[in-house]
Amino acid sequence: MEYNVNVLNASEKEVEIKLSYDEIKESIENEIKKQTKNLQVPGFRKGKVPRNILKKMFGDALEYEAADKVATEFFWKVADEKDLRPIGKPAMTSLDFEPEKHLTFKVKYETLPEINVQNYKDIEIEVPDFVVTDEEVQKEIEYILKANQTLIDADEVGDDRNYHIEVEINRTDEQGNILPDTKPEKLTIDLTNEQIHPQIIENSRGKKVGESFTFQFADQRKQTNSDGVEEDVTDNYYYTAKILSIKKVQLPELNEELVKKVTKDRLSDVEAFKDEIKKDIQKYYDQRVEEITRTKLLSEIIKNNDFTPPQTLVNNVLEEYLKSEENYAKQNKISFNKEEARNRLRKSAENEVKWYLIKEQIQKVENISVTEDELKEFAQKEAEQTGLSVDKLMNYYKASNQVERIIDEKLFEFLKSNNRIKRVDPKTLYPQKEEINEQ
């Protein structure tokens, strides 16, 4: 037997195997016997048809079919003997069989790549230095006050926007005539909402129950004209709204009583409450910065150690992504385009596989692991928070993927301490702070 392995890329190889007929003769004969075991030919018992008769009937077809199965059998034998370590499903790329002479075939297969990780230290990245402002604390307080508001009947919509109005809306033409084949719609409009159309806020001002106001909005879209040129088109929509009821919004005072209600008697001091809000917002920002730091570090390390990942693993991860998105779409009753999602998520699946293989190598090189004492120390901290026993937590860690999670945390701390993480003004990275949620 002769065999040769060609490296196609970091994760893909092709083995060529050449076998003499003497090496495969017995296997070919056994395969043919299996094929003809239940073959019925007039004048012969089932499975007892002489070989020369079969040759006249089928020519070399039985041998060719047997050769294909023998090739597969020998591939796995070679894979085991030569430690080829294929993953996924290998593919036969060519097969050359000459009865009584030889069998030569090629099999393409994937394997875990050998990665010599480098350039994962001394990387410089910039992350936003988010600091909570007094305005953000005030916005959160306003949200809390709004969540505890009360509504009282009012006769007229005032100038301060602190109103809810129940209206009956009809769609009309530009002259105010109700369009035929349309039905009125009742809804409640919160005029304090920043998303409310400005015309509704302005035109409802000073109106009383039973009175009406009008508003319109324009919808801009692209349309291809008769000359095949894409142009902007504006559709105008006109409405009349009759006020059915008016409620005045009364916001509570931020005092000791409200603080005790919101915190369930945990706090009563207003300033202490404001400090806690500030700390909570800062904690959220710090968590986001950690996520951004992790994402940027991983991205740079992958870029410095790029390779073609095994598509078998990539497809496995991708299928999990797709399953998750499809379930989310079903639960929320939104449309789901599997092909669009597959194309969109493939890069993320590739990067996840790349990082998994890279991080394993870094952990080996840097000897990052979790000792029994470290695991116990971690369990003791969680035991204080959860009330569970240390032994139960230790058993849980070992029976689940918690050990891997702890190793990942240690690796991230190692990477943070061995790379240059520069905090910069968020405005230099993002036009608006809200955009961090998209990172």
Side-chain angles (χ1 to χ4, degrees):
M1 180 186 69
E2 297 179 31
Y3 91 100
N4 182 52
V5 176
N6 298 314
V7 178
L8 305 180
N9 58 51
S11 304
E12 203 171 35
K13 298 176 182 178
E14 186 177 64
V15 61
E16 181 178 14
I17 299 174
K18 296 180 180 180
L19 297 161
S20 67
Y21 193 77
D22 287 341
E23 291 175 295
I24 62 171
K25 183 177 180 180
E26 184 177 349
S27 297
I28 292 287
E29 292 295 333
N30 290 336
E31 282 298 330
I32 291 176
K33 285 179 182 178
K34 291 178 185 177
Q35 294 175 43
T36 59
K37 186 176 181 181
N38 297 313
L39 196 63
Q40 184 73 61
V41 174
F44 299 96
R45 286 183 297 161
K46 185 184 291 186
K48 299 297 183 180
V49 184
R51 184 68 180 274
N52 64 323
I53 301 296
L54 293 174
K55 188 77 171 177
K56 288 180 181 179
M57 292 177 64
F58 300 103
D60 294 329
L62 293 176
E63 284 192 88
Y64 278 104
E65 187 175 341
D68 187 69
K69 294 182 179 180
V70 169
T72 300
E73 175 189 322
F74 268 85
F75 166 75
W76 286 110
K77 183 179 179 182
V78 170
D80 184 52
E81 291 177 354
K82 306 298 182 181
D83 199 26
L84 300 184
R85 300 184 183 183
I87 59 174
K89 187 177 180 180
M92 190 86 67
T93 56
S94 71
L95 188 146
D96 177 20
F97 173 62
E98 289 191 41
E100 307 292 336
K101 291 184 179 180
H102 68 85
L103 171 63
T104 300
F105 60 93
K106 293 180 181 179
V107 176
K108 187 162 65 175
Y109 63 97
E110 287 190 307
T111 185
L112 293 179
E114 295 179 7
I115 306 169
N116 179 25
V117 295
Q118 55 189 350
N119 300 328
Y120 56 88
K121 298 179 185 178
D122 204 31
I123 299 170
E124 182 174 305
I125 61 171
E126 292 183 344
V127 297
D129 186 19
F130 292 127
V131 179
V132 184
T133 64
D134 292 338
E135 289 79 7
E136 289 170 319
V137 174
Q138 185 57 37
K139 278 188 177 181
E140 184 64 22
I141 290 173
E142 289 172 2
Y143 173 80
I144 293 169
L145 294 178
K146 189 173 180 180
N148 289 274
Q149 68 186 9
T150 55
L151 299 174
I152 60 172
D153 290 328
D155 298 323
E156 183 179 309
V157 179
D159 296 331
D160 58 8
R161 292 185 58 175
N162 290 324
Y163 292 89
H164 288 189
I165 56 173
E166 184 185 9
V167 296
E168 181 181 85
I169 294 181
N170 280 285
R171 189 175 169 194
T172 70
D173 59 21
E174 192 171 357
Q175 286 73 41
N177 301 309
I178 296 175
L179 295 178
D181 300 323
T182 61
K183 293 182 179 180
E185 180 182 1
K186 289 183 180 180
L187 69 154
T188 299
I189 302 174
D190 178 2
L191 296 179
T192 67
N193 190 327
E194 296 295 332
Q195 305 300 318
I196 296 299
H197 195 289
Q199 280 193 15
I200 295 178
I201 296 168
E202 183 64 31
N203 296 350
S204 65
R205 194 168 289 153
K207 298 295 182 181
K208 297 179 180 180
V209 174
E211 294 182 338
S212 299
F213 63 91
T214 62
F215 64 94
Q216 70 179 75
F217 72 87
D219 180 34
Q220 291 187 332
R221 57 187 174 84
K222 297 285 187 181
Q223 178 177 291
T224 303
N225 62 26
S226 57
D227 297 324
V229 178
E230 193 176 67
E231 58 185 7
D232 292 324
V233 176
T234 301
D235 295 319
N236 291 301
Y237 298 88
Y238 303 91
Y239 297 90
T240 293
K242 181 181 179 181
I243 299 178
L244 304 178
S245 69
I246 303 172
K247 301 285 185 181
K248 172 69 174 176
V249 175
Q250 286 195 326
L251 297 177
E253 181 185 350
L254 182 61
N255 54 24
E256 179 180 328
E257 181 183 353
L258 181 62
V259 170
K260 290 175 72 174
K261 176 187 174 183
V262 172
T263 64
K264 297 181 179 179
D265 292 324
R266 190 169 45 81
L267 293 175
S268 60
D269 183 74
V270 172
E271 291 306 315
F273 182 54
K274 289 181 178 179
D275 286 341
E276 184 172 87
I277 291 174
K278 188 172 185 177
K279 288 177 183 176
D280 287 344
I281 298 174
Q282 189 61 56
K283 183 179 179 182
Y284 167 74
Y285 283 157
D286 291 344
Q287 289 173 343
R288 294 299 291 119
V289 171
E290 283 286 280
E291 292 169 9
I292 292 169
T293 301
R294 181 188 293 267
T295 299
K296 286 198 167 187
L297 272 177
L298 268 55
S299 178
E300 289 299 313
I301 294 171
I302 290 173
K303 189 162 60 176
N304 293 340
N305 295 274
D306 203 12
F307 60 93
T308 302
Q311 292 307 297
T312 298
L313 301 184
V314 171
N315 289 333
N316 289 344
V317 172
L318 183 56
E319 287 305 313
E320 290 300 315
Y321 284 177
L322 292 173
K323 191 185 300 181
S324 177
E325 281 217 359
E326 188 169 16
N327 288 338
Y328 177 84
K330 285 180 181 177
Q331 291 169 5
N332 292 276
K333 297 181 179 179
I334 56 179
S335 62
F336 176 70
N337 185 323
K338 195 166 188 176
E339 197 56 36
E340 179 278 329
R342 186 184 300 279
N343 294 332
R344 172 168 47 83
L345 296 171
R346 176 164 287 279
K347 187 66 176 178
S348 296
E350 288 179 351
N351 283 339
E352 181 170 332
V353 173
K354 287 178 184 179
W355 175 244
Y356 177 80
L357 297 172
I358 288 171
K359 78 173 183 178
E360 279 199 331
Q361 293 303 310
I362 297 176
Q363 289 166 359
K364 288 179 183 178
V365 171
E366 301 296 342
N367 195 26
I368 297 174
S369 60
V370 175
T371 65
E372 191 78 8
D373 289 341
E374 287 174 321
L375 201 60
K376 192 170 185 178
E377 183 181 342
F378 192 83
Q380 286 171 339
K381 289 179 182 178
E382 285 210 340
E384 294 171 4
Q385 298 172 354
T386 62
L388 297 172
S389 70
V390 172
D391 289 340
K392 280 186 177 180
L393 286 169
M394 289 284 284
N395 290 333
Y396 168 67
Y397 294 158
K398 293 174 181 178
S400 65
N401 66 346
Q402 294 303 304
V403 173
E404 184 178 340
R405 179 174 65 84
I406 296 169
I407 293 176
D408 279 351
E409 290 177 3
K410 288 186 71 175
L411 173 60
F412 183 47
E413 291 302 318
F414 169 84
L415 293 174
K416 284 199 298 183
S417 62
N418 283 275
N419 289 286
R420 303 190 305 279
I421 300 166
K422 186 179 178 183
R423 288 182 173 254
V424 299
D425 185 343
K427 292 178 181 178
T428 65
L429 296 177
Y430 316 112
Q432 295 180 345
K433 184 179 289 186
E434 284 76 15
E435 290 188 9
I436 65 171
N437 293 324
E438 300 175 6
Q439 303 303 313

